[in-house]
Amino acid sequence: MVVRSLRDSTLLIAEANSFLDRLERPKTMKEIETNLRSLTHIKDEMMAAGFNATFPELMLNLKAELTDEELPSDISKQLRSLREFANLKKYTLNRVKIAIASHNILYNMLQRGTVYPFAEYLPYDGQYLYDLIYLGEPAIRAYNAINTILSQKEESKGGEYTVVISIDGKKQKIKLDSNQNLGERVKRVYGDGATILSITKRSTEKPLVNGRSNRVAIASAYARLATTIVYPKFTKGPIFTNEIHKIYSSILSKHGLSSETRIDLIETREELEDELYSKKLLFEQNNVKILHPDVVQAITKNRKKVNRETVKEAERLLSEDIFYFFMTESKKTRTAYPLFKGISGEVDARLSFLNKSFAKNSIEIIKEKITLESLVPTSSKELAAVLMLNSGKSKEWCMQKFNLSEAELDAAKSKLSPYLKNVSSQAKEFLDLLRQK
């Protein structure tokens, strides 16, 4: 690890944040590549300087960086200062990583030739938290919901095996990546006198999307996009749950406040509060302001509705993009330029949310497309459109979704009809064999 002085670390933090503050959504591949080079260089410097160390390690390193003159006489102040600076290191490094993740996601989109709407809201500057806080509770709930989906884990097929063997009465521990023909392998390497005492498998679990920084960037983007769709529906006019809430809203509107404002939770506004007291919408008990329970109930109900709709919209947007990615991109493209790290070719239980958020049979349609894509003479887009048409979607929906003219869709359906009829039974058998493995 490179030893840096406190001043060196402070300068690196300042330079990193200054660069990040200038970043916006790149417009070209060249701009992405230029930004990524700078971001990667900053990240490498931070890693070399120990910015990724655990908190106890950071505390020890920071103490070592301080000179005698810099050491405060008050030990509690010293420790607080060290803690704050350690947190600043971690925060800045995480911000750089999130910026890199955002640039890489857009890079893959441009390589595939399809830029999804959520790309507009990726945190290219690595700053995501303030935006979510500014947008409020619905955005934060949507972020958490998407992050939970992206973090879903499935046990990998492989794993590491720890084998304890006995050789001439002495125990020895070895690690292997497979337990096939284990007895033969042990005797071949360690002799006939070697015996196996125990075998322990350490399974590894893979999240749907690899890398915390990727998940943070994706979840924040979908949360922000969802709010742009949901919020306008609730700001066109106040939604009244009861008559008391309607009266309350009319009074607040005269003072420039939203009908969803909890006047009992904000700073004192004497003129407004006097009017609410006179209408018996606000009470005081033991020097505590208490809002009419019907108003509180109405505001709570409306907030829950906005929260629920925002989460639902974010999940729908994510589901639709993942579905579209699998349906329109070839296996080669999916592998080379995945939608997100971890989402490329595999379809497993971690994608079950697609059936809930997008369409009931989404997973089966994706699996059918993946099975057929190497067997039929057409593009992924045409195959996807025909499969969706056969699943019950209207011709207009398929034309709009996959950017095909009516003539192109009719031609694709005619071209694929004999293949789908002949291949469908074989494809089902093939899928059954894959599931059994």
Side-chain angles (χ1 to χ4, degrees):
M1 183 187 299
V2 176
V3 178
R4 286 175 172 268
S5 71
L6 181 62
R7 294 185 184 86
D8 286 340
S9 294
T10 303
L11 182 59
L12 182 53
I13 290 171
E15 290 175 348
N17 283 297
S18 176
F19 178 75
L20 288 164
D21 288 343
R22 297 195 300 271
L23 291 181
E24 296 178 351
R25 175 184 169 178
K27 296 180 175 59
T28 64
M29 293 284 288
K30 184 177 180 180
E31 190 177 349
I32 293 176
E33 291 166 353
T34 300
N35 288 349
L36 280 173
R37 279 195 296 271
S38 298
L39 288 166
T40 302
H41 176 71
I42 293 171
K43 177 189 168 186
D44 290 343
E45 276 199 278
M46 289 181 167
M47 298 290 277
F51 277 46
N52 63 324
T54 62
F55 188 76
E57 290 172 335
L58 285 173
M59 295 296 288
L60 289 173
N61 292 335
L62 284 168
K63 287 180 182 179
E65 289 176 6
L66 292 171
T67 64
D68 291 338
E69 291 76 16
E70 293 171 325
L71 284 172
S73 57
D74 189 329
I75 189 66
S76 63
K77 289 183 179 179
Q78 174 191 346
L79 291 175
R80 185 165 60 250
S81 176
L82 291 173
R83 184 183 295 275
E84 290 172 354
F85 195 69
N87 288 335
L88 185 56
K89 278 186 167 185
K90 298 288 283 186
Y91 164 80
T92 307
L93 177 59
N94 286 334
R95 188 179 174 189
V96 171
K97 288 180 178 179
I98 292 166
I100 290 174
S102 300
H103 280 74
N104 281 326
I105 292 168
L106 180 60
Y107 181 85
N108 280 359
M109 287 189 204
L110 294 179
Q111 288 285 10
R112 293 193 307 268
T114 303
V115 177
Y116 292 73
F118 79 91
E120 185 67 31
Y121 300 92
L122 284 166
Y124 297 102
D125 62 355
Q127 184 63 272
Y128 74 98
L129 192 55
Y130 290 160
D131 290 331
L132 293 177
I133 292 173
Y134 174 78
L135 290 170
E137 183 183 355
I140 294 172
R141 287 184 178 272
Y143 166 82
N144 289 332
I146 298 302
N147 213 336
T148 298
I149 290 173
L150 302 179
S151 300
Q152 292 180 100
K153 293 183 179 179
E154 181 186 62
E155 186 175 319
S156 63
K157 296 177 182 178
E160 184 181 76
Y161 294 85
T162 300
V163 183
V164 178
I165 61 175
S166 174
I167 307 173
D168 298 329
K170 295 181 179 180
K171 291 183 180 180
Q172 184 171 337
K173 187 183 291 185
I174 58 176
K175 294 185 182 294
L176 301 170
D177 59 3
S178 170
N179 66 344
Q180 291 187 349
N181 304 319
L182 188 56
E184 295 178 13
R185 291 161 64 191
V186 168
K187 291 186 182 298
R188 186 169 62 248
V189 176
Y190 296 97
D192 292 336
T195 57
I196 298 174
L197 299 179
S198 67
I199 303 172
T200 304
K201 180 182 179 182
R202 184 175 67 83
S203 300
T204 55
E205 294 183 326
K206 298 190 302 181
L208 179 62
V209 172
N210 299 329
R212 177 187 175 277
S213 299
N214 290 304
R215 295 191 292 271
V216 168
I218 297 162
S220 64
Y222 278 106
R224 291 178 62 199
L225 175 57
T227 62
T228 66
I229 298 170
V230 173
Y231 281 14
K233 297 177 183 178
F234 292 91
T235 55
K236 289 179 180 178
I239 301 173
F240 304 119
T241 305
N242 53 56
E243 192 63 29
I244 297 294
H245 185 218
K246 188 173 183 180
I247 297 171
Y248 177 79
S249 175
S250 66
I251 295 173
L252 262 63
S253 65
K254 293 188 294 184
H255 296 265
L257 295 176
S258 163
S259 62
E260 305 306 311
T261 302
R262 287 281 302 269
I263 196 65
D264 55 327
L265 301 179
I266 65 174
E267 63 183 15
T268 300
R269 297 194 176 205
E270 292 183 1
E271 184 179 346
L272 169 58
E273 290 178 9
D274 286 344
E275 188 171 357
L276 291 173
Y277 282 127
S278 68
K279 299 290 185 180
K280 296 184 178 180
L281 297 176
L282 190 64
F283 310 92
E284 189 170 303
Q285 188 174 6
N286 297 326
N287 294 321
V288 176
K289 289 182 289 186
I290 300 175
L291 196 57
H292 193 292
D294 286 356
V295 174
V296 174
Q297 182 185 38
I299 292 173
T300 301
K301 185 176 181 179
N302 287 344
R303 285 183 178 177
K304 285 182 177 179
K305 186 175 182 180
V306 177
N307 290 341
R308 186 170 58 251
E309 290 298 317
T310 306
V311 169
K312 185 178 178 180
E313 183 64 20
E315 291 177 345
R316 184 194 69 79
L317 291 165
L318 173 67
S319 300
E320 187 169 324
D321 286 349
I322 292 176
F323 183 83
Y324 187 79
F325 170 75
F326 276 106
M327 295 299 287
T328 59
E329 303 294 351
S330 67
K331 181 178 180 180
K332 182 179 179 180
T333 301
R334 292 196 307 270
T335 302
Y337 304 106
L339 180 61
F340 311 125
K341 283 189 175 181
I343 296 183
S344 56
E346 295 286 330
V347 178
D348 52 48
R350 293 171 299 177
L351 289 176
S352 60
F353 69 92
L354 295 181
N355 288 337
K356 176 183 175 183
S357 305
F358 185 61
K360 290 182 179 179
N361 58 344
S362 297
I363 297 296
E364 291 306 314
I365 294 174
I366 291 175
K367 287 181 177 179
E368 187 176 5
K369 188 265 179 177
I370 289 174
T371 301
L372 295 173
E373 62 186 352
S374 61
L375 304 175
V376 295
T378 188
S379 67
S380 284
K381 186 182 293 187
E382 288 183 344
L383 174 58
V386 174
L387 287 174
M388 293 304 294
L389 189 65
N390 291 344
S391 75
K393 287 292 185 181
S394 68
K395 180 181 283 189
E396 290 72 21
W397 186 93
C398 295
M399 289 163 52
Q400 188 274 331
K401 189 67 180 174
F402 300 103
N403 194 27
L404 295 173
S405 66
E406 185 173 4
E408 289 172 326
L409 181 57
D410 288 340
K413 183 179 180 182
S414 177
K415 179 171 61 175
L416 292 174
S417 181
Y419 289 94
L420 296 181
K421 287 179 181 178
N422 295 330
V423 172
S424 59
S425 61
Q426 299 172 14
K428 289 178 181 177
E429 291 179 16
F430 180 59
L431 276 174
D432 289 338
L433 287 173
L434 287 178
R435 291 168 187 157
Q436 293 171 13
K437 291 183 178 181

